[in-house]
PDB file of all heavy atoms in Angstrom:
ATOM      1  N   ALA J   1      96.123  99.524  83.465  1.00  0.00           N
ATOM      2  CA  ALA J   1      97.304  98.772  83.053  1.00  0.00           C
ATOM      3  C   ALA J   1      97.494  97.492  83.840  1.00  0.00           C
ATOM      4  O   ALA J   1      98.469  96.763  83.661  1.00  0.00           O
ATOM      5  CB  ALA J   1      98.549  99.637  83.206  1.00  0.00           C
ATOM      6  N   ARG J   2      96.550  97.174  84.730  1.00  0.00           N
ATOM      7  CA  ARG J   2      96.532  95.964  85.562  1.00  0.00           C
ATOM      8  C   ARG J   2      97.726  95.933  86.512  1.00  0.00           C
ATOM      9  O   ARG J   2      98.220  94.855  86.877  1.00  0.00           O
ATOM     10  CB  ARG J   2      96.526  94.700  84.692  1.00  0.00           C
ATOM     11  CG  ARG J   2      95.397  94.579  83.693  1.00  0.00           C
ATOM     12  CD  ARG J   2      94.046  94.471  84.397  1.00  0.00           C
ATOM     13  NE  ARG J   2      92.994  94.099  83.493  1.00  0.00           N
ATOM     14  CZ  ARG J   2      92.232  94.944  82.792  1.00  0.00           C
ATOM     15  NH1 ARG J   2      92.478  96.242  82.911  1.00  0.00           N
ATOM     16  NH2 ARG J   2      91.296  94.530  81.985  1.00  0.00           N
ATOM     17  N   LEU J   3      98.167  97.094  86.934  1.00  0.00           N
ATOM     18  CA  LEU J   3      99.261  97.151  87.916  1.00  0.00           C
ATOM     19  C   LEU J   3      98.702  97.231  89.338  1.00  0.00           C
ATOM     20  O   LEU J   3      99.394  96.858  90.304  1.00  0.00           O
ATOM     21  CB  LEU J   3     100.157  98.374  87.661  1.00  0.00           C
ATOM     22  CG  LEU J   3     101.026  98.268  86.396  1.00  0.00           C
ATOM     23  CD1 LEU J   3     101.659  99.619  86.077  1.00  0.00           C
ATOM     24  CD2 LEU J   3     102.102  97.217  86.582  1.00  0.00           C
ATOM     25  N   VAL J   4      97.468  97.704  89.484  1.00  0.00           N
ATOM     26  CA  VAL J   4      96.800  97.710  90.798  1.00  0.00           C
ATOM     27  C   VAL J   4      95.400  97.155  90.620  1.00  0.00           C
ATOM     28  O   VAL J   4      94.854  97.076  89.515  1.00  0.00           O
ATOM     29  CB  VAL J   4      96.752  99.145  91.385  1.00  0.00           C
ATOM     30  CG1 VAL J   4      98.130  99.738  91.509  1.00  0.00           C
ATOM     31  CG2 VAL J   4      95.821 100.047  90.573  1.00  0.00           C
ATOM     32  N   GLU J   5      94.841  96.757  91.754  1.00  0.00           N
ATOM     33  CA  GLU J   5      93.459  96.254  91.757  1.00  0.00           C
ATOM     34  C   GLU J   5      92.730  96.816  92.966  1.00  0.00           C
ATOM     35  O   GLU J   5      93.375  97.379  93.879  1.00  0.00           O
ATOM     36  CB  GLU J   5      93.453  94.718  91.797  1.00  0.00           C
ATOM     37  CG  GLU J   5      94.217  94.120  92.949  1.00  0.00           C
ATOM     38  CD  GLU J   5      94.440  92.643  92.770  1.00  0.00           C
ATOM     39  OE1 GLU J   5      94.154  92.103  91.685  1.00  0.00           O
ATOM     40  OE2 GLU J   5      94.892  91.992  93.756  1.00  0.00           O
ATOM     41  N   THR J   6      91.417  96.676  92.984  1.00  0.00           N
ATOM     42  CA  THR J   6      90.641  97.248  94.049  1.00  0.00           C
ATOM     43  C   THR J   6      89.840  96.193  94.792  1.00  0.00           C
ATOM     44  O   THR J   6      89.537  95.122  94.251  1.00  0.00           O
ATOM     45  CB  THR J   6      89.657  98.324  93.513  1.00  0.00           C
ATOM     46  OG1 THR J   6      88.791  97.722  92.555  1.00  0.00           O
ATOM     47  CG2 THR J   6      90.397  99.473  92.869  1.00  0.00           C
ATOM     48  N   GLU J   7      89.485  96.548  96.024  1.00  0.00           N
ATOM     49  CA  GLU J   7      88.664  95.690  96.861  1.00  0.00           C
ATOM     50  C   GLU J   7      87.823  96.578  97.766  1.00  0.00           C
ATOM     51  O   GLU J   7      88.356  97.540  98.361  1.00  0.00           O
ATOM     52  CB  GLU J   7      89.508  94.757  97.724  1.00  0.00           C
ATOM     53  CG  GLU J   7      88.753  93.929  98.719  1.00  0.00           C
ATOM     54  CD  GLU J   7      89.664  93.225  99.699  1.00  0.00           C
ATOM     55  OE1 GLU J   7      90.893  93.343  99.583  1.00  0.00           O
ATOM     56  OE2 GLU J   7      89.098  92.558 100.609  1.00  0.00           O
ATOM     57  N   ARG J   8      86.532  96.324  97.840  1.00  0.00           N
ATOM     58  CA  ARG J   8      85.680  97.134  98.706  1.00  0.00           C
ATOM     59  C   ARG J   8      85.622  96.512 100.090  1.00  0.00           C
ATOM     60  O   ARG J   8      85.357  95.297 100.261  1.00  0.00           O
ATOM     61  CB  ARG J   8      84.265  97.224  98.144  1.00  0.00           C
ATOM     62  CG  ARG J   8      83.313  98.073  98.998  1.00  0.00           C
ATOM     63  CD  ARG J   8      82.018  98.329  98.305  1.00  0.00           C
ATOM     64  NE  ARG J   8      82.177  99.266  97.200  1.00  0.00           N
ATOM     65  CZ  ARG J   8      82.230 100.589  97.322  1.00  0.00           C
ATOM     66  NH1 ARG J   8      82.188 101.128  98.547  1.00  0.00           N
ATOM     67  NH2 ARG J   8      82.364 101.347  96.276  1.00  0.00           N
ATOM     68  N   ARG J   9      85.907  97.332 101.109  1.00  0.00           N
ATOM     69  CA  ARG J   9      85.799  96.917 102.495  1.00  0.00           C
ATOM     70  C   ARG J   9      84.879  97.926 103.199  1.00  0.00           C
ATOM     71  O   ARG J   9      85.297  99.048 103.517  1.00  0.00           O
ATOM     72  CB  ARG J   9      87.161  96.883 103.198  1.00  0.00           C
ATOM     73  CG  ARG J   9      88.105  95.837 102.630  1.00  0.00           C
ATOM     74  CD  ARG J   9      89.384  95.769 103.428  1.00  0.00           C
ATOM     75  NE  ARG J   9      90.371  94.950 102.784  1.00  0.00           N
ATOM     76  CZ  ARG J   9      91.648  94.859 103.210  1.00  0.00           C
ATOM     77  NH1 ARG J   9      92.026  95.526 104.260  1.00  0.00           N
ATOM     78  NH2 ARG J   9      92.517  94.097 102.543  1.00  0.00           N
ATOM     79  N   GLY J  10      83.633  97.525 103.409  1.00  0.00           N
ATOM     80  CA  GLY J  10      82.674  98.449 103.989  1.00  0.00           C
ATOM     81  C   GLY J  10      82.390  99.597 103.037  1.00  0.00           C
ATOM     82  O   GLY J  10      82.045  99.396 101.876  1.00  0.00           O
ATOM     83  N   LYS J  11      82.585 100.832 103.546  1.00  0.00           N
ATOM     84  CA  LYS J  11      82.349 102.004 102.731  1.00  0.00           C
ATOM     85  C   LYS J  11      83.583 102.438 101.934  1.00  0.00           C
ATOM     86  O   LYS J  11      83.495 103.352 101.132  1.00  0.00           O
ATOM     87  CB  LYS J  11      81.916 103.168 103.640  1.00  0.00           C
ATOM     88  CG  LYS J  11      80.596 102.925 104.361  1.00  0.00           C
ATOM     89  CD  LYS J  11      80.233 104.126 105.223  1.00  0.00           C
ATOM     90  CE  LYS J  11      78.902 103.929 105.916  1.00  0.00           C
ATOM     91  NZ  LYS J  11      78.535 105.097 106.792  1.00  0.00           N
ATOM     92  N   HIS J  12      84.685 101.722 102.147  1.00  0.00           N
ATOM     93  CA  HIS J  12      85.922 102.143 101.506  1.00  0.00           C
ATOM     94  C   HIS J  12      86.324 101.221 100.373  1.00  0.00           C
ATOM     95  O   HIS J  12      86.091 100.025 100.431  1.00  0.00           O
ATOM     96  CB  HIS J  12      87.048 102.198 102.547  1.00  0.00           C
ATOM     97  CG  HIS J  12      86.836 103.218 103.639  1.00  0.00           C
ATOM     98  ND1 HIS J  12      87.035 104.548 103.441  1.00  0.00           N
ATOM     99  CD2 HIS J  12      86.418 103.059 104.922  1.00  0.00           C
ATOM    100  CE1 HIS J  12      86.764 105.208 104.567  1.00  0.00           C
ATOM    101  NE2 HIS J  12      86.393 104.314 105.457  1.00  0.00           N
ATOM    102  N   VAL J  13      86.947 101.797  99.349  1.00  0.00           N
ATOM    103  CA  VAL J  13      87.565 101.049  98.271  1.00  0.00           C
ATOM    104  C   VAL J  13      89.079 101.113  98.484  1.00  0.00           C
ATOM    105  O   VAL J  13      89.655 102.213  98.531  1.00  0.00           O
ATOM    106  CB  VAL J  13      87.203 101.622  96.886  1.00  0.00           C
ATOM    107  CG1 VAL J  13      87.968 100.899  95.788  1.00  0.00           C
ATOM    108  CG2 VAL J  13      85.694 101.507  96.648  1.00  0.00           C
ATOM    109  N   LEU J  14      89.682  99.942  98.641  1.00  0.00           N
ATOM    110  CA  LEU J  14      91.120  99.880  98.877  1.00  0.00           C
ATOM    111  C   LEU J  14      91.834  99.443  97.613  1.00  0.00           C
ATOM    112  O   LEU J  14      91.380  98.554  96.877  1.00  0.00           O
ATOM    113  CB  LEU J  14      91.442  98.896 100.012  1.00  0.00           C
ATOM    114  CG  LEU J  14      90.845  99.214 101.380  1.00  0.00           C
ATOM    115  CD1 LEU J  14      91.359  98.208 102.412  1.00  0.00           C
ATOM    116  CD2 LEU J  14      91.186 100.635 101.822  1.00  0.00           C
ATOM    117  N   TYR J  15      92.962 100.062  97.369  1.00  0.00           N
ATOM    118  CA  TYR J  15      93.827  99.707  96.245  1.00  0.00           C
ATOM    119  C   TYR J  15      95.004  98.873  96.735  1.00  0.00           C
ATOM    120  O   TYR J  15      95.493  99.102  97.871  1.00  0.00           O
ATOM    121  CB  TYR J  15      94.373 100.967  95.551  1.00  0.00           C
ATOM    122  CG  TYR J  15      93.361 101.646  94.648  1.00  0.00           C
ATOM    123  CD1 TYR J  15      92.392 102.489  95.178  1.00  0.00           C
ATOM    124  CD2 TYR J  15      93.394 101.439  93.268  1.00  0.00           C
ATOM    125  CE1 TYR J  15      91.468 103.122  94.354  1.00  0.00           C
ATOM    126  CE2 TYR J  15      92.470 102.053  92.441  1.00  0.00           C
ATOM    127  CZ  TYR J  15      91.508 102.902  92.998  1.00  0.00           C
ATOM    128  OH  TYR J  15      90.615 103.528  92.173  1.00  0.00           O
ATOM    129  N   SER J  16      95.427  97.934  95.947  1.00  0.00           N
ATOM    130  CA  SER J  16      96.607  97.136  96.249  1.00  0.00           C
ATOM    131  C   SER J  16      97.316  96.773  94.960  1.00  0.00           C
ATOM    132  O   SER J  16      96.759  96.909  93.877  1.00  0.00           O
ATOM    133  CB  SER J  16      96.221  95.860  97.026  1.00  0.00           C
ATOM    134  OG  SER J  16      95.326  95.072  96.234  1.00  0.00           O
ATOM    135  N   LEU J  17      98.548  96.314  95.081  1.00  0.00           N
ATOM    136  CA  LEU J  17      99.273  95.885  93.899  1.00  0.00           C
ATOM    137  C   LEU J  17      98.641  94.635  93.313  1.00  0.00           C
ATOM    138  O   LEU J  17      98.225  93.745  94.037  1.00  0.00           O
ATOM    139  CB  LEU J  17     100.745  95.597  94.239  1.00  0.00           C
ATOM    140  CG  LEU J  17     101.602  96.761  94.717  1.00  0.00           C
ATOM    141  CD1 LEU J  17     103.050  96.279  94.885  1.00  0.00           C
ATOM    142  CD2 LEU J  17     101.533  97.942  93.766  1.00  0.00           C
ATOM    143  N   ALA J  18      98.573  94.563  91.994  1.00  0.00           N
ATOM    144  CA  ALA J  18      98.066  93.377  91.302  1.00  0.00           C
ATOM    145  C   ALA J  18      99.229  92.413  91.061  1.00  0.00           C
ATOM    146  O   ALA J  18      99.779  92.348  89.988  1.00  0.00           O
ATOM    147  CB  ALA J  18      97.409  93.791  90.000  1.00  0.00           C
ATOM    148  N   GLY J  19      99.586  91.680  92.111  1.00  0.00           N
ATOM    149  CA  GLY J  19     100.747  90.788  92.028  1.00  0.00           C
ATOM    150  C   GLY J  19     101.942  91.469  92.649  1.00  0.00           C
ATOM    151  O   GLY J  19     102.716  92.101  91.948  1.00  0.00           O
ATOM    152  N   ASP J  20     102.071  91.362  93.971  1.00  0.00           N
ATOM    153  CA  ASP J  20     103.122  92.090  94.684  1.00  0.00           C
ATOM    154  C   ASP J  20     104.519  91.809  94.126  1.00  0.00           C
ATOM    155  O   ASP J  20     105.261  92.740  93.795  1.00  0.00           O
ATOM    156  CB  ASP J  20     103.108  91.693  96.160  1.00  0.00           C
ATOM    157  CG  ASP J  20     101.977  92.341  96.919  1.00  0.00           C
ATOM    158  OD1 ASP J  20     100.965  92.696  96.289  1.00  0.00           O
ATOM    159  OD2 ASP J  20     102.076  92.453  98.140  1.00  0.00           O
ATOM    160  N   ALA J  21     104.844  90.533  94.007  1.00  0.00           N
ATOM    161  CA  ALA J  21     106.216  90.162  93.620  1.00  0.00           C
ATOM    162  C   ALA J  21     106.570  90.685  92.230  1.00  0.00           C
ATOM    163  O   ALA J  21     107.660  91.206  91.990  1.00  0.00           O
ATOM    164  CB  ALA J  21     106.396  88.643  93.696  1.00  0.00           C
ATOM    165  N   GLU J  22     105.631  90.563  91.284  1.00  0.00           N
ATOM    166  CA  GLU J  22     105.903  90.932  89.915  1.00  0.00           C
ATOM    167  C   GLU J  22     106.052  92.458  89.772  1.00  0.00           C
ATOM    168  O   GLU J  22     106.940  92.967  89.095  1.00  0.00           O
ATOM    169  CB  GLU J  22     104.793  90.428  88.989  1.00  0.00           C
ATOM    170  CG  GLU J  22     104.759  88.944  88.801  1.00  0.00           C
ATOM    171  CD  GLU J  22     104.102  88.220  89.976  1.00  0.00           C
ATOM    172  OE1 GLU J  22     103.505  88.885  90.826  1.00  0.00           O
ATOM    173  OE2 GLU J  22     104.223  86.986  90.030  1.00  0.00           O
ATOM    174  N   VAL J  23     105.156  93.221  90.428  1.00  0.00           N
ATOM    175  CA  VAL J  23     105.232  94.673  90.340  1.00  0.00           C
ATOM    176  C   VAL J  23     106.469  95.179  91.040  1.00  0.00           C
ATOM    177  O   VAL J  23     107.168  96.111  90.555  1.00  0.00           O
ATOM    178  CB  VAL J  23     103.955  95.329  90.894  1.00  0.00           C
ATOM    179  CG1 VAL J  23     104.079  96.837  90.887  1.00  0.00           C
ATOM    180  CG2 VAL J  23     102.738  94.897  90.097  1.00  0.00           C
ATOM    181  N   VAL J  24     106.805  94.638  92.179  1.00  0.00           N
ATOM    182  CA  VAL J  24     108.018  95.049  92.902  1.00  0.00           C
ATOM    183  C   VAL J  24     109.257  94.728  92.059  1.00  0.00           C
ATOM    184  O   VAL J  24     110.177  95.520  91.973  1.00  0.00           O
ATOM    185  CB  VAL J  24     108.102  94.364  94.283  1.00  0.00           C
ATOM    186  CG1 VAL J  24     109.482  94.550  94.908  1.00  0.00           C
ATOM    187  CG2 VAL J  24     107.024  94.924  95.193  1.00  0.00           C
ATOM    188  N   ALA J  25     109.281  93.550  91.411  1.00  0.00           N
ATOM    189  CA  ALA J  25     110.406  93.198  90.555  1.00  0.00           C
ATOM    190  C   ALA J  25     110.517  94.155  89.375  1.00  0.00           C
ATOM    191  O   ALA J  25     111.638  94.507  88.956  1.00  0.00           O
ATOM    192  CB  ALA J  25     110.236  91.760  90.065  1.00  0.00           C
ATOM    193  N   LEU J  26     109.375  94.584  88.836  1.00  0.00           N
ATOM    194  CA  LEU J  26     109.377  95.518  87.741  1.00  0.00           C
ATOM    195  C   LEU J  26     109.978  96.867  88.174  1.00  0.00           C
ATOM    196  O   LEU J  26     110.776  97.496  87.474  1.00  0.00           O
ATOM    197  CB  LEU J  26     107.939  95.741  87.230  1.00  0.00           C
ATOM    198  CG  LEU J  26     107.744  96.697  86.071  1.00  0.00           C
ATOM    199  CD1 LEU J  26     108.514  96.240  84.822  1.00  0.00           C
ATOM    200  CD2 LEU J  26     106.252  96.831  85.728  1.00  0.00           C
ATOM    201  N   MET J  27     109.617  97.327  89.368  1.00  0.00           N
ATOM    202  CA  MET J  27     110.189  98.559  89.922  1.00  0.00           C
ATOM    203  C   MET J  27     111.683  98.428  90.164  1.00  0.00           C
ATOM    204  O   MET J  27     112.448  99.356  89.929  1.00  0.00           O
ATOM    205  CB  MET J  27     109.463  98.906  91.219  1.00  0.00           C
ATOM    206  CG  MET J  27     107.973  99.168  91.087  1.00  0.00           C
ATOM    207  SD  MET J  27     107.622 100.816  90.449  1.00  0.00           S
ATOM    208  CE  MET J  27     107.945 101.764  91.926  1.00  0.00           C
ATOM    209  N   GLN J  28     112.082  97.265  90.636  1.00  0.00           N
ATOM    210  CA  GLN J  28     113.534  97.042  90.876  1.00  0.00           C
ATOM    211  C   GLN J  28     114.295  97.103  89.561  1.00  0.00           C
ATOM    212  O   GLN J  28     115.365  97.707  89.494  1.00  0.00           O
ATOM    213  CB  GLN J  28     113.750  95.662  91.514  1.00  0.00           C
ATOM    214  CG  GLN J  28     113.353  95.582  92.974  1.00  0.00           C
ATOM    215  CD  GLN J  28     113.577  94.168  93.542  1.00  0.00           C
ATOM    216  OE1 GLN J  28     112.877  93.229  93.164  1.00  0.00           O
ATOM    217  NE2 GLN J  28     114.539  94.031  94.388  1.00  0.00           N
ATOM    218  N   ALA J  29     113.754  96.473  88.513  1.00  0.00           N
ATOM    219  CA  ALA J  29     114.418  96.480  87.219  1.00  0.00           C
ATOM    220  C   ALA J  29     114.522  97.892  86.657  1.00  0.00           C
ATOM    221  O   ALA J  29     115.552  98.310  86.094  1.00  0.00           O
ATOM    222  CB  ALA J  29     113.663  95.573  86.247  1.00  0.00           C
ATOM    223  N   LEU J  30     113.451  98.669  86.815  1.00  0.00           N
ATOM    224  CA  LEU J  30     113.449 100.056  86.359  1.00  0.00           C
ATOM    225  C   LEU J  30     114.536 100.856  87.093  1.00  0.00           C
ATOM    226  O   LEU J  30     115.259 101.640  86.478  1.00  0.00           O
ATOM    227  CB  LEU J  30     112.076 100.659  86.585  1.00  0.00           C
ATOM    228  CG  LEU J  30     111.866 102.119  86.131  1.00  0.00           C
ATOM    229  CD1 LEU J  30     112.073 102.231  84.635  1.00  0.00           C
ATOM    230  CD2 LEU J  30     110.494 102.597  86.540  1.00  0.00           C
ATOM    231  N   GLY J  31     114.653 100.628  88.397  1.00  0.00           N
ATOM    232  CA  GLY J  31     115.676 101.317  89.162  1.00  0.00           C
ATOM    233  C   GLY J  31     117.078 100.955  88.734  1.00  0.00           C
ATOM    234  O   GLY J  31     117.954 101.842  88.632  1.00  0.00           O
ATOM    235  N   ARG J  32     117.342  99.673  88.454  1.00  0.00           N
ATOM    236  CA  ARG J  32     118.683  99.248  88.027  1.00  0.00           C
ATOM    237  C   ARG J  32     119.050  99.893  86.702  1.00  0.00           C
ATOM    238  O   ARG J  32     120.203 100.347  86.522  1.00  0.00           O
ATOM    239  CB  ARG J  32     118.734  97.728  87.941  1.00  0.00           C
ATOM    240  CG  ARG J  32     118.752  97.016  89.283  1.00  0.00           C
ATOM    241  CD  ARG J  32     119.143  95.558  89.145  1.00  0.00           C
ATOM    242  NE  ARG J  32     118.186  94.812  88.336  1.00  0.00           N
ATOM    243  CZ  ARG J  32     117.138  94.187  88.851  1.00  0.00           C
ATOM    244  NH1 ARG J  32     116.931  94.196  90.162  1.00  0.00           N
ATOM    245  NH2 ARG J  32     116.305  93.507  88.077  1.00  0.00           N
ATOM    246  N   VAL J  33     118.118  99.927  85.754  1.00  0.00           N
ATOM    247  CA  VAL J  33     118.390 100.546  84.478  1.00  0.00           C
ATOM    248  C   VAL J  33     118.673 102.050  84.661  1.00  0.00           C
ATOM    249  O   VAL J  33     119.591 102.606  84.061  1.00  0.00           O
ATOM    250  CB  VAL J  33     117.206 100.330  83.487  1.00  0.00           C
ATOM    251  CG1 VAL J  33     117.416 101.148  82.212  1.00  0.00           C
ATOM    252  CG2 VAL J  33     117.096  98.846  83.134  1.00  0.00           C
TER     253      VAL J  33
END
């Protein structure tokens, strides 16, 4: 759904938000509703 993305660092694959501000704002809006 393009909400998270991955990055390989050494032997590990790390997940992070795909656009911190936008995903956080989406979560905030969901909470308000």
Side-chain angles (χ1 to χ4, degrees):
R2 303 296 192 271
L3 290 168
V4 304
E5 56 192 10
T6 59
E7 174 190 359
R8 180 171 289 278
R9 295 185 190 172
K11 296 181 179 179
H12 296 283
V13 175
L14 299 184
Y15 282 81
S16 60
L17 296 185
D20 285 22
E22 291 79 11
V23 176
V24 169
L26 181 60
M27 297 281 284
Q28 286 179 291
L30 182 62
R32 287 194 297 269
V33 172

